[in-house]
Amino acid sequence: MFPRSLRYVGGAAPVARALDTSLVSSSARPPHRTFASVTNLETYPRPGERLHGFTLKRAKHVPELQLTAFHLEHEKTGAEYLHVARDDKNNVFSIGFKTNPPDNTGVPHILEHITLCGSEKYPIRDPFFKMLPRSLSNFMNAFTSSDHTTYPFATTNRKDFNNLMSVYLDATLHPLLNESDFAQEGWRVGPENPSITEGDYHSDDASDNFVFKGVVYNEMKGQMSDATYLYYIRFQDHIFPDINNSGGDPQQMTDLTYSNLKDFHAQNYHPSQAKLFTYGDMPLADHLLEVGRQLDKFQKTRANKAIKLPITLDGPLNVCIKGPTDPLVDRDKQFKTSISWIMGDASDILESFSLRVMSSLLLDGYGSPLYRRLIETGLGHDWSPNTGLDNGGKVGIFSVGLNGVREDDVSKVKEAVKSTLVDVHRRGFDRAKVDGILHQLELVLKHKTANFGMGLMQRLQSGWFNGVDPFDSLAWNEIVEAFKRKLESGSYLERLVEKYLLNGNTLTFTMEPSATYGEEVAEEEAKRLAGKITEVSKKFRDEKEARKHIKARELELLEVQEKAKNENLNILPTVHVSDIPRNIESKPTRNSAIGNVNVQWREAPTNGLTYFRAINILDSLSDELRLLIPLYTDSIMRLGTKGKTMEQLEDLIKLNSGGISSSYYSSTSPTDHMSVREGLSFSGYALDHNIPAMYELLRTILLETNFEGAEAESKIRELLQSSASGALDSIASAGHSYARRFAEAGLTPQGKLNEQIGGLTQVRHTAAMAHRSSTNDLGDIISGLKAIQRLAISNSSNLRAAVTCSPDATSNNEAALQRLLSTLPSSHPFTANQASSSFYPRNSKTFFPLPYQVYYSALALPTVPYTHSSSASLQILSQLLTHKHLHREIREKGGAYGGGAYARGLGGIFGFYSYRDPNPQNTLNVLQDAGRLARDKDWTEQDIEEAKLSVFQGVDAPESVSEEGMTNFLSGVDEFMEQKKREELLDVRKSDVRQAAQEFLVERFKDTNVAVLGEQKEWVKDTDGWHISSMEMAQASESAVDDANSAV
């Protein structure tokens, strides 16, 4: 389900506690501070007082969130500023602007990219990406939402915060907006191959293949290849026509001119349009001083902060559009349809909160009335992407819809929704279910997350730009208490159902499958491209001259891109490796034994919560059973037991815990990357006093799930069809990850396991099971699931557990865990046999034909284990290649949305990837030469320094208390190993990097695997060594292992 504030990522970065947020400057802050000094209103000015050009309008302390909020206004420009003071060292900054899109050309999205390509203070090419390796930030990005654009970052380092704030402010307020950046990031017409030699540019060969190019253009072609996104955005076009597609529709993006872009910036990127947000424990006064300096250069203008509204529905409205077919879903179940209502004013915080509760009661969980009436009965496979309450704008929209609907059932969906709502209104909501939701909210308040500030910013931002007071949104306890009072008045939620949903004022929006949809899109693009070339030709004697001109413009852009390699980056601020502590921050754990079970304890302040995780190792697991584990972990949360339905179990889980889950587990040995252990992982968290109840629920689900019930087979089919229904779109949104998994599958045992559990092999296996006819029973599948159930958990040495709790909760937790273990079987009553073992290739090239407009590619090779001395050099090498070579070649020149190198320290893999790539042939050529380039390049000390900073962004990223100690528990990497690796990373020299490049990327390049996903064209030939692996349903109907083998 997409929120209306759907984001388009403009530049992805990988991937808290000095304590004073008072208005005392950093140079004068006291040496010792307490929690009270962070949020104490007494240490701040009073409303109406001024500081650094800002007036404090109001302040609010929110004890339940342990924060104090301050709303300020810049006097000269009227810019709004929200600061949230909290005892959190992970500080956040964001500047955002109201950017209502005037059309579907994607001008807000393209502008978001180009503002980060150079500014007055930092007049170098692409300072945003060049700052990525000069920072210790744990988040750095830009978002284009439907009607606003924001530029946030997060870091724990004071110097880094100031550096990034300076770059972000100058980029947004004083961008260069070069025309060459518009051509690179937006769109242009140029030769398909970015590696054409200079001589070729002066040829007049009319057969030269010209294409539309541009990073954002290709990004949005990739988005439009995702049928889920396409449905959502076309739905928005009809229910919210006043809000155009801010991301851009490729069919209209090529109408955008450079002049249009500059005008849009001048109209919208002004402080009078701006909203600034800071969060954390750094002094507000320091922030205001720097921000004030920048904003004071502007005068107040008349801001265009128009708040757009959806259509008015005065009766039923029906819209039907065409979309692509899904090769992984039955051909007669390809429709998507939804019913939508316009709700109330989102600034009514109490009603908005109440509507969210109502939406959850109607839709969430297998026991919810709409799930049972729509999906359980087989009307559709899964929820449509717009399903749920979207209150990100001024007025809310509530939708209920389905994917995987038969044509004859489309009209039945609306009838079923209506009858269900009438029945819910008559019967009323179960108060116990409401209490379960409120209990979940209580746990959300207590659960300490590492990215609280970033999450808070994203939660407040959309409403803030649409007239919702952020102070109202922060008043958590006040809202909940007011909601409880409304509940006590009787039938409150039922009255909301009647007020908004029991009427005929609906939009029914349907997408029907078209077998020719992809061809029509390609034909439209070809016609549009020919038209653009004709436009250029009118300015020259003939088309040959026009083609020479287009090539010359491409050459000029290549020269600009090449020249940027030698820019002096010293003008950019940076932190240094010397800012990185040489020693790890110790978070000690201790171990105990309860019988044969080893237990790791992490005792730390947890705000009254206990976090539990357990791993049960499974020996000699067959491929057949492994391929069923994702279905098993879904099934135990769907089927219920002989004594309780899943609806009853869901209610108990919500009332007694923050959730429990089960998943597949595997990890290589840190000392041997060819050795791997696998099993099942179980986790959950709860208030300390609810831990016994949570353990009992976990035991019940693991041991008592009823795979033999009358409805078991139909519910398993339902799960399979739901998974298959969304698989193609999941691949489209993360195709590079699927390509990487398949490329790694033949290199290490861990690679094989990852591919079988979460790769294309799993997708194809699930689709094959889902495609079984209703006359073909699932007896063999259910037998496999029951076999896994017998293996899942035991009170034996194969089981180990980890508990994170406060010290005063340890003894009660130990007693509760001991009781849980005493109820488990003492050993495995079943031994899995190794009936078959699928084989994945090495030194191979595999192509997966899929109906996408762009490509996803990966190349991988095996390296060394985590503790090997070369592991650190390989990590540094991956960052050097990404930032100093591949970004320029794959993204800037090649036009892909993303690309880079990676090193899996634990996995023993080095690899490359590209994402939403229009030219994978060129990318693969670049990757083949990357090793020699890295070996021969005379890397500077600054290059090495920046690569180390990039690595430590992830190494030192803040972690939640629930994750402390988990690296050791999950992977066996203890603090001694972490410390040794830290020192090795800090000590890597350029000679180490060049040696690693020679040994692994040159000498061992013969061991590489390549995988590419996308439309099959002429260059994909088996005579050139490509193996074509079909994902069509006709080829996906074999058994799991045969299916995996067919991939090679």
Side-chain angles (χ1 to χ4, degrees), residues 162-226:
N162 294 333
N163 290 348
L164 292 173
M165 184 165 65
S166 175
V167 171
Y168 270 56
L169 288 171
D170 204 60
T172 52
L173 300 176
H174 306 286
L176 298 179
L177 301 182
N178 291 321
E179 190 167 6
S180 60
D181 294 323
F182 174 76
Q184 173 185 291
E185 299 294 317
W187 75 273
R188 67 189 186 277
V189 174
E192 183 175 23
N193 185 357
S195 300
I196 293 176
T197 64
E198 183 172 347
D200 292 326
Y201 276 95
H202 298 292
S203 73
D204 56 7
D205 187 352
S207 66
D208 287 332
N209 191 22
F210 282 7
V211 295
F212 283 121
K213 308 178 82 169
V215 171
V216 179
Y217 184 80
N218 286 316
E219 177 190 351
M220 297 313 297
K221 283 182 70 175
Q223 284 277 44
M224 291 298 190
S225 296
D226 180 344

Side-chain angles (χ1 to χ4, degrees), residues 829-1042:
F830 174 83
T831 301
N833 57 64
Q834 198 71 13
S836 62
S837 181
S838 56
F839 168 76
Y840 292 91
R842 180 175 288 204
N843 191 23
S844 68
K845 298 192 300 184
T846 307
F847 189 92
F848 293 87
L850 288 166
Y852 303 145
Q853 299 177 50
V854 287
Y855 294 85
Y856 307 87
S857 59
L859 183 153
L861 64 143
T863 56
V864 294
Y866 179 88
T867 55
H868 193 282
S869 59
S870 295
S871 178
S873 301
L874 288 166
Q875 284 185 263
I876 301 300
L877 174 59
S878 71
Q879 296 302 313
L880 282 169
L881 285 171
T882 296
H883 295 292
K884 301 300 180 181
H885 178 57
L886 299 176
H887 173 80
R888 180 177 62 254
E889 297 298 325
I890 297 175
R891 180 177 167 117
E892 292 184 358
K893 293 182 181 179
Y897 182 48
Y902 63 97
R904 296 196 195 281
L906 265 173
I909 296 286
F910 192 96
F912 305 89
Y913 68 94
S914 69
Y915 178 68
R916 291 180 180 167
D917 186 350
N919 198 331
Q921 289 174 282
N922 174 72
T923 295
L924 293 176
N925 289 334
V926 169
L927 300 184
Q928 286 177 345
D929 293 333
R932 286 186 290 274
L933 178 140
R935 176 197 63 191
D936 298 337
K937 185 174 177 60
D938 185 17
W939 302 104
T940 67
E941 291 303 317
Q942 182 63 32
D943 292 336
I944 302 298
E945 171 119 339
E946 291 181 9
K948 291 177 181 179
L949 291 172
S950 297
V951 169
F952 275 92
Q953 289 172 1
V955 171
D956 285 349
E959 62 180 2
S960 305
V961 64
S962 59
E963 296 302 313
E964 293 175 359
M966 285 299 105
T967 300
N968 186 17
F969 179 72
L970 295 173
S971 64
V973 176
D974 59 27
E975 288 194 349
F976 174 80
M977 293 178 184
E978 284 191 87
Q979 179 62 39
K980 186 172 183 292
K981 173 57 73 65
R982 187 181 191 87
E983 293 170 3
E984 290 172 344
L985 287 168
L986 291 170
D987 294 341
V988 167
R989 301 164 299 175
K990 67 178 179 180
S991 59
D992 300 324
V993 169
R994 296 172 70 177
Q995 180 179 340
Q998 169 64 22
E999 180 178 353
F1000 297 100
L1001 304 191
V1002 177
E1003 295 175 7
R1004 301 191 191 181
F1005 195 80
K1006 63 183 184 300
D1007 295 327
T1008 57
N1009 278 351
V1010 173
V1012 179
L1013 286 58
E1015 180 186 3
Q1016 185 176 347
K1017 293 188 176 180
E1018 292 182 358
W1019 57 271
V1020 183
K1021 303 174 182 176
D1022 53 9
T1023 54
D1024 290 335
W1026 286 101
H1027 173 78
I1028 292 91
S1029 185
S1030 175
M1031 295 292 290
E1032 292 285 342
M1033 281 305 306
Q1035 277 76 40
S1037 58
E1038 301 175 1
S1039 70
V1041 175
D1042 288 342

